[in-house]
């Protein structure tokens, strides 16, 4: 390019090297981001042109609507980003492209953390522009201010400074209005000359920029590569169910239909648009250890991040977009985590999502059932993690109980038995095994409903002190159980309850002596009506299921369980029989009571071979007597 004046060199201030280093290594971790930043700046320039043209229509006298063009040139090893926006004159080029150098490191960092950032002014090039130096060894910016006859070129290699000059009208003919940025790419950035790579980045980061983005290939016709439509910014009245379905599938990269759609605009202290979806099927990465969410964060229709934790981890199945009008555009993901504006948005949107799920559960139980079947275990993580919303999440939860499936705690409390003071639950690894668990016997005999919890997370959230509707949650596998004030359903069973059983003190002493350190205690059970024994945890110990899970991960020492025995069971009665003739028998039976209780809890006996041998001996002894 020729110039009509000699290029004028201007130095950057001393801080620029540090700031450029910050851009490359700290603010942005992905080089793809440079194209998003240049497109964002181009979009701002087009926005500013539209605004100024309201009072000065002559600025767009040619009638050409603002747009953005991207042109790769493999022969020249350059990538051009061109907009037909407001453009810049000489002083604006110096001021806008020197923002970093003039602001200083300390000022720059402080401004990044402020709610209102000067670098976000429409059409102003700032921090984001310098992201291009991650991929370019030299940048040339040619710009014509709308309504001006003069065209200026700014160039820099990112070193000590930049050059600026006025170009000839002949050479500037291609820039009739707006700004052309030409990146002379580094050797390791050649992939950004591939059209498919450019399209990938635009679809991922800038698809909803409201101005057309055209790709100008070296061969073939220019074509628009973005949708140029931010659906979440449009009123709900303009969108159909099919529009929402397509938006969900595009945003989430999914093929199912959304089970819930939430679309609204918040105004006031914070202004932002929300379009969120709950999928109807479970994504493959739902239980990744990172527990990252997939809600995309935009700022003024510019994509910022897809994992900015705009919702808590227990809502990580939610997909969609939050588009803020107030957050700073040029900000790193690390800084987003501590941004007070985003914290306010996170709190408000989380509450709105939970309320929407509550409404869906009440008004459209079938649609809510799809969400719960797919994501119930994830939502229940919040009962443990989110103290503020714990009761709401408990109310939102659905349970399989001894009365049926998809039961809410509200239904449980409404149907609670007279004199019943607690909500009872039992944890295990399968519904079938829990239904056969002897610890249910006394509750079943009284018609007491019991929650049957089989998700691994259930063992954790139930360890917190919980209540719902004034009724504490209590495990049937832990602590003492007293159903004395709740009558049995069967009057005849009430009579049998008073029948004499084995001598309690003698029997317990014999079993304790036989089992020794295998158990922490042996006691008569209030849980059992038909089975001979069961294992429970002490009131201060972990629930049995939680202890097993922690032991599998070597995260907690194993405590000895309590063996509860049914004093009216014939097997127990034999233990306290003729002590002289049946000492070995009572020991074998004591171990049998322990080991069958372990098996019923889904555990293996400590010594399976000894258990099998002992069981065989007892069977043979019974056959011999017969």
């Amino acid at each position: 390019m020729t110039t009509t004046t000699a290029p004028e060199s201007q130095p950057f201030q001393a801080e620029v090297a540090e700031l450029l280093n910050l851009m490359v290594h700290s603010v942005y971790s992905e080089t793809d981001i440079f194209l998003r930043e240049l497109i964002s700046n181009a979009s701002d320039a087009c926005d500013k042109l539209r605004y100024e043209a309201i009072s000065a229509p002559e600025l767009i006298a040619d009638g050409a609507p603002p747009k953005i063009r991207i042109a790769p040139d493999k022969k020249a090893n350059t990538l051009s980003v061109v907009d037909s926006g407001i453009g810049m004159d000489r002083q604006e080029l110096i001021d806008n492209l020197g923002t970093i150098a003039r602001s200083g490191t300390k000022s720059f960092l402080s401004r990044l953390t402020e709610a209102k950032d000067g670098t976000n002014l429409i059409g102003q090039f700032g921090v984001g522009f310098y992201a291009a130096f991650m991929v370019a060894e030299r940048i040339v910016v040619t710009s014509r201010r709308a309504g001006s006859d003069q065209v200026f070129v700014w160039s820099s290699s990112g070193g000590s400074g930049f050059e600026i000059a006025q170009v000839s009208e002949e050479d500037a003919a291609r820039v009739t209005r707006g700004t052309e940025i030409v990146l002379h790419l580094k050797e390791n950035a050649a992939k950004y000359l591939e059209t498919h790579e450019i399209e990938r980045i635009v679809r991922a980061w800038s698809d909803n920029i409201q101005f057309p983005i055209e790709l100008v290939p070296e061969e073939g016709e220019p074509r628009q590569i973005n949708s140029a439509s931010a659906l979440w910014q449009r009123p709900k009245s303009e969108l159909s169910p099919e529009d929402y379905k397509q938006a969900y599938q595009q945003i989430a990269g999914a093929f199912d239909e959304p089970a819930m759609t939430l679309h609204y605009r918040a105004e006031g202290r914070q202004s932002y648009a929300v379009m969120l979806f709950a999928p109807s099927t479970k994504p493959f990465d739902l239980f990744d250890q990172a527990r990252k969410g997939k809600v995309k964060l935009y700022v003024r229709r510019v994509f910022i991040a897809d994992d900015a934790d705009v919702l808590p981890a227990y809502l990580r199945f939610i997909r969609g977009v939050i588009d803020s009008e107030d957050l700073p555009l040029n900000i790193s993901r690390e800084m987003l985590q501590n941004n007070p504006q985003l914290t306010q948005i996170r709190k408000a949107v989380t509450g709105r999502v939970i309320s929407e799920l509550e409404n869906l559960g009440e008004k459209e139980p079938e649609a809510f059932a799809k969400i719960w079947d797919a994501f119930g275990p994830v939502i229940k993580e919040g009962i443990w993690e989110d103290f503020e919303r714990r009761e709401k999440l408990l109310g939102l939860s659905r349970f399989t109980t001894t009365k049926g499936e998809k039961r809410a705690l509200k239904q449980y409390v409404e149907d609670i038995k007279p004199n019943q003071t607690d909500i009872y639950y039992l944890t295990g690894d399968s519904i079938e095994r829990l239904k056969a668990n002897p610890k249910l016997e006394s509750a079943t005999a009284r018609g007491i409903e019991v929650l049957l919890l089989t998700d691994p997370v259930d063992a954790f959230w139930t360890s917190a002190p919980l209540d719902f509707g004034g009724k504490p949650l209590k495990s049937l596998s832990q602590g003492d159980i007293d159903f004395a004030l709740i009558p049995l359903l069967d009057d005849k069973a009430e009579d049998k309850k008073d029948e004499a059983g084995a001598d309690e003190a003698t029997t317990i002493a014999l079993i304790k002596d036989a089992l020794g350190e295998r158990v922490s205690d042996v006691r008569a059970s209030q849980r059992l009506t038909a089975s001979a024994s069961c294992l429970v945890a002490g009131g201060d110990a972990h629930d049995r299921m939680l202890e097993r899970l922690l032991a599998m991960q070597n995260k907690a020492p194993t405590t000895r369980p309590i063996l509860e025995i049914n004093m009216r069971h014939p097997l127990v009665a034999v233990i306290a029989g003729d002590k002289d003739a049946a000492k070995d028998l009572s020991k074998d039976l004591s171990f049998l009571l322990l080991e069958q209780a372990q098996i019923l809890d889904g555990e293996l006996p400590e010594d399976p071979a000894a258990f099998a041998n002992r069981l065989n001996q007892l069977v043979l002894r019974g056959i011999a007597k017969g």
Side-chain angles (χ1 to χ4, degrees):
M1 176 172 297
T2 60
T3 61
T4 58
T5 60
E8 177 187 345
S9 297
Q10 295 201 16
F12 288 126
Q13 291 185 359
E15 295 100 324
V16 72
E18 182 178 353
L19 290 166
L20 287 175
N21 184 65
L22 178 67
M23 281 300 308
V24 174
H25 299 293
S26 299
V27 177
Y28 299 112
S29 57
E30 301 175 20
T31 55
D32 289 356
I33 206 76
F34 85 92
L35 190 54
R36 183 202 80 177
E37 291 297 323
L38 295 183
I39 292 173
S40 171
N41 289 334
S43 175
D44 285 347
C46 293
D47 259 331
K48 188 174 182 180
L49 175 67
R50 289 196 309 187
Y51 177 77
E52 291 197 10
I54 295 174
S55 56
E58 65 274 11
L59 294 179
I60 52 174
D62 59 4
K67 65 180 179 179
I68 302 164
R69 291 181 294 122
I70 302 173
D73 186 337
K74 291 182 179 179
K75 292 181 180 178
N77 195 39
T78 61
L79 180 68
S80 300
V81 178
V82 186
D83 69 73
S84 55
I86 193 64
M88 292 175 281
D89 59 26
R90 180 181 183 279
Q91 192 58 45
E92 286 172 324
L93 278 168
I94 295 172
D95 292 344
N96 293 338
L97 302 190
T99 297
I100 293 179
R102 292 187 298 106
S103 66
T105 306
K106 186 174 181 180
S107 174
F108 167 63
L109 290 173
S110 65
R111 290 176 68 179
L112 279 178
T113 61
E114 292 175 6
K116 301 295 181 182
D117 191 338
T119 61
N120 294 320
L121 296 175
I122 293 176
Q124 179 178 3
F125 283 75
V127 175
F129 169 77
Y130 282 89
F133 280 107
M134 291 190 292
V135 300
E137 57 188 14
R138 184 165 179 265
I139 300 177
V140 178
V141 180
T142 306
S143 190
R144 183 199 296 267
R145 189 69 160 79
S148 173
D149 293 332
Q150 295 181 321
V151 181
F152 293 88
V153 58
W154 178 102
S155 62
S156 175
S157 299
S160 59
F162 59 88
E163 292 184 342
I164 190 164
Q166 184 176 353
V167 302
S168 67
E169 193 61 34
E170 180 182 352
D171 288 335
R174 65 182 183 281
V175 183
T176 57
R177 183 187 69 224
T179 301
E180 174 195 73
I181 301 174
V182 179
L183 309 181
H184 295 261
L185 297 177
K186 298 176 181 178
E187 291 184 6
N188 60 1
K191 67 177 183 178
Y192 296 113
L193 297 174
E194 302 294 337
T195 55
H196 65 85
E197 191 73 10
I198 296 169
E199 289 186 75
R200 177 189 66 80
I201 296 171
V202 170
R203 282 196 301 270
W205 299 87
S206 306
D207 189 60
N208 292 286
I209 288 289
Q210 60 182 318
F211 301 101
I213 301 174
E214 289 185 353
L215 176 62
V216 185
E218 293 179 86
E219 296 181 3
E221 295 295 319
R223 64 181 186 276
Q224 184 172 328
I225 56 175
N226 70 320
S227 63
S229 174
L231 285 180
W232 54 85
Q233 294 287 357
R234 293 167 58 184
K236 293 174 66 174
S237 58
E238 295 181 5
L239 301 177
S240 67
E242 184 62 26
D243 290 328
Y244 283 119
K245 176 184 173 182
Q246 291 180 1
Y248 161 69
Q249 291 179 341
Q250 177 189 350
I251 293 169
F255 297 96
D256 60 330
E257 295 191 11
M260 182 187 80
T261 299
L262 177 60
H263 181 201
Y264 68 97
R265 170 174 286 281
E267 301 287 357
R269 293 181 64 187
Q270 294 282 333
S271 178
Y272 53 91
V274 174
M275 182 181 283
L276 300 177
F277 306 93
S280 53
T281 59
K282 189 184 303 182
F284 72 93
D285 58 351
L286 185 63
F287 292 103
D288 279 358
Q289 289 185 352
R291 302 171 73 221
K292 284 287 187 182
K294 294 295 176 66
V295 173
K296 300 179 186 295
L297 177 64
Y298 282 73
V299 175
R300 296 187 295 285
R301 298 171 301 282
V302 176
F303 179 75
I304 299 297
D306 58 8
D307 58 354
D309 293 331
V310 290
L311 289 175
Y314 64 84
L315 293 177
R316 61 185 176 275
F317 61 91
I318 296 291
R319 300 293 191 261
V321 168
I322 296 176
D323 189 352
S324 169
E325 296 294 328
D326 306 305
L327 284 171
L329 181 62
N330 299 309
I331 191 169
S332 72
R333 296 183 180 187
E334 292 77 11
M335 292 172 182
L336 276 173
Q337 304 313 307
N338 300 314
N339 185 279
Q341 293 172 294
L342 186 60
T343 299
Q344 294 171 12
I345 293 173
R346 183 185 295 116
K347 182 176 181 179
V349 176
T350 298
R352 186 68 180 264
V353 169
I354 292 174
S355 295
E356 195 71 13
L357 289 169
E358 288 176 328
N359 292 335
L360 193 70
E362 292 177 5
K363 298 175 182 178
E364 300 180 53
E366 291 185 3
F368 180 77
K370 291 181 180 179
I371 297 174
W372 187 258
D373 287 341
F375 309 112
V378 177
I379 295 173
K380 285 188 286 188
E381 293 174 11
I383 302 174
W384 171 258
E385 296 173 343
D386 194 341
F387 178 81
E388 181 182 349
R389 301 180 181 88
R390 181 168 286 172
E391 185 151 354
K392 278 186 167 291
L393 293 172
L394 277 171
L396 190 64
S397 299
R398 298 294 185 267
F399 302 97
T400 297
T401 77
T402 49
K403 281 195 174 180
E405 298 181 350
K406 302 290 190 303
R407 293 275 290 174
L409 289 183
K410 181 180 178 182
Q411 295 171 293
Y412 185 109
V413 172
E414 289 173 351
D415 296 345
I416 206 164
K417 289 288 180 180
N419 300 324
Q420 182 181 338
T421 58
D422 300 301
I423 296 171
Y424 293 101
Y425 67 88
L426 196 59
T427 57
D429 46 24
S430 76
I431 292 295
E432 293 74 20
R433 184 171 286 166
L434 284 178
K435 286 181 176 179
N437 195 300
K439 296 169 193 145
L440 285 176
E441 291 174 355
S442 187
T444 301
R446 290 166 169 79
I448 297 171
E449 185 175 11
V450 179
L451 311 180
L452 305 177
L453 309 178
T454 58
D455 293 319
V457 70
D458 293 330
F460 291 91
W461 67 261
T462 52
S463 65
L466 302 167
D467 72 86
F468 184 84
K471 303 291 183 183
L473 272 70
K474 185 171 181 58
S475 172
L476 288 180
S477 291
Q478 186 179 26
D480 296 324
I481 296 292
D482 186 3
F483 294 143
L485 296 178
I486 305 173
L488 293 163
L489 298 177
D490 186 351
D491 293 337
K492 294 180 180 179
E494 189 74 35
D495 296 336
K496 290 180 180 180
K497 189 177 68 170
D498 297 327
E499 292 179 3
D503 180 82
E504 185 173 316
T506 303
T507 304
I508 288 176
L510 287 169
I511 297 174
K512 281 186 175 180
D513 182 62
L515 298 180
E517 296 298 314
R518 298 287 187 90
V519 295
S520 63
D521 196 11
V522 179
R523 66 191 183 194
S525 180
Q526 302 300 316
R527 294 170 171 83
L528 304 174
T529 60
S531 299
S533 62
C534 67
L535 289 172
V536 299
D540 296 330
H542 290 310
D543 186 80
R544 297 272 298 145
M545 184 65 181
L546 177 57
E547 183 161 286
R548 287 203 299 273
L549 290 173
L550 293 174
M552 289 170 60
Q553 300 176 32
N554 297 317
K555 289 189 176 180
T558 302
T559 58
R560 292 174 296 152
I562 296 169
L563 179 66
E564 289 194 354
I565 55 174
N566 180 359
M567 300 308 301
R568 288 175 297 279
H569 195 279
L571 192 62
V572 175
V574 172
I575 294 175
D578 187 341
K579 293 186 280 294
D580 294 329
K583 186 173 182 180
D584 290 339
L585 175 61
S586 66
K587 183 175 181 179
D588 285 342
L589 290 176
S590 296
F591 270 94
L592 182 63
L593 291 175
L594 170 63
E595 291 165 338
Q596 72 176 10
Q598 289 176 315
I599 292 171
L600 288 169
D601 270 355
E603 301 176 17
L604 284 175
E606 188 173 320
D607 188 344
F611 164 73
N613 183 60
R614 188 178 297 116
L615 186 61
N616 290 338
Q617 293 298 324
L618 288 169
V619 170
L620 291 173
R621 187 177 296 171
I623 293 173
K625 285 187 176 182

